[in-house]
Amino acid sequence: RQRQMCIRDRVNGHCVLAGNIKLISANGEAALTKELADAVGKHIQDGSTVIYIHIDGETAGYIALADTVRTESADMIASIKSIGVQPVLLTGDHQNAATAIGTLLGIDEIHANCLPEDKLNHIEAYQTTGTSVCMIGDGINDSPALSAADVGIAINSGAAIAREIADITIKADSLEELVQLKSIANAMQRRVASNYRFVLSFNSALIILGALGILQPATSAMLHNLSTIGISLKSMTCLLYTSPSPRDA
């Protein structure tokens, strides 16, 4: 499916229609000529979005729009993958444009021509498999998916309804802060698990040795307190000294 997008107005007494080919055809405007179709076909193959211009029912030209990808955006996707998060692109753009952008970004799973309900269905499909889903969006069309996701994140410069529905709104243009936050969360989970295993095993050993009469109560209490101090000092060190592991995501 293709999103219907059209602008119609009168300019200097002429009826001007700008939109995608589906809606132009639906409005009974002139058919796309072969020459024009061949010209725009190259742009579409390159991943551009084409806006057709019709004046008084005749084809007048087109505008080719292409997204550009910043180097830091591709680096950010690589960082997201490194912490065990699988990025998925859900977009209303046509397949060629989505594939072109997804390839440049390094995203393997791409879903194009998505209407708002399509994005919602994809989110729910992932959740039925037990996958935790974080949705990042900034448009009105993203609102249903932001609401359904386990964590919805909106961009501050996006639509007001997206910011209202999302669980989190970020002000930064880059998502690097989210990557760092996830890395810290992963490291915290590892540290809590490590401390728990140590405390459980160490205290169990003290109880057993005390019950067998090998350790005196005073010695056992001293060792317990020393272990508590050691754990506290370890927990005060930087969480990101060690790189995050994908299995902790």
Side-chain angles (χ1 to χ4, degrees):
R1 285 176 293 175
Q2 191 177 25
R3 285 187 304 178
Q4 294 187 347
M5 179 175 58
C6 178
I7 299 175
R8 181 192 294 270
D9 202 354
R10 297 196 69 84
V11 180
N12 295 328
H14 299 282
C15 180
V16 179
L17 179 67
N20 62 17
I21 188 63
K22 180 178 180 180
L23 195 56
I24 287 176
S25 299
N27 280 270
E29 301 294 341
L32 196 63
T33 64
K34 183 179 183 305
E35 292 77 12
L36 187 60
D38 293 339
V40 301
K42 296 180 180 180
H43 292 289
I44 294 177
Q45 289 297 326
D46 293 336
S48 298
T49 299
V50 176
I51 305 298
Y52 299 92
I53 308 298
H54 281 222
I55 299 177
D56 294 333
E58 295 183 359
T59 304
Y62 64 91
I63 301 173
L65 306 175
D67 293 320
T68 58
V69 176
R70 296 180 295 181
T71 303
E72 54 267 30
S73 298
D75 294 338
M76 182 200 66
I77 295 298
S79 299
I80 289 176
K81 289 183 176 181
S82 70
I83 60 175
V85 177
Q86 180 60 43
V88 178
L89 177 60
L90 303 176
T91 176
D93 290 335
H94 61 79
Q95 186 64 54
N96 289 336
T99 301
I101 294 299
T103 301
L104 291 174
L105 290 174
I107 299 177
D108 300 321
E109 187 171 349
I110 302 168
H111 300 280
N113 299 317
C114 288
L115 297 174
E117 57 267 29
D118 296 324
K119 296 180 180 182
L120 174 61
N121 291 336
H122 283 299
I123 295 295
E124 293 178 341
Y126 288 119
Q127 291 173 327
T128 56
T129 63
T131 302
S132 297
V133 180
C134 174
M135 171 70 183
I136 302 176
D138 62 354
I140 296 175
N141 292 340
D142 299 324
S143 299
L146 286 171
S147 177
D150 297 287
V151 178
I153 300 177
I155 310 299
N156 188 54
S157 58
I161 188 173
R163 299 196 304 269
E164 183 69 23
I165 290 178
D167 302 299
I168 302 170
T169 299
I170 58 175
K171 292 185 177 181
D173 293 333
S174 173
L175 300 180
E176 286 294 339
E177 288 78 5
L178 292 178
V179 177
Q180 186 176 29
L181 180 62
K182 177 59 177 173
S183 299
I184 293 174
N186 287 351
M188 176 63 77
Q189 290 292 337
R190 290 196 305 274
R191 179 165 295 181
V192 170
S194 175
N195 290 348
Y196 176 78
R197 289 193 298 267
F198 173 79
V199 169
L200 184 63
S201 59
F202 188 79
N203 288 343
S204 297
L206 292 180
I207 293 173
I208 294 174
L209 293 175
L212 295 176
I214 298 176
L215 286 180
Q216 296 300 317
T219 303
S220 178
M222 181 187 66
L223 291 175
H224 171 74
N225 290 334
L226 288 175
S227 68
T228 301
I229 294 173
I231 287 293
S232 300
L233 292 175
K234 176 186 175 184
S235 298
M236 294 172 63
T237 60
C238 181
L239 284 168
L240 297 183
Y241 279 155
T242 56
S243 59
S245 172
R247 65 174 176 272
D248 297 313

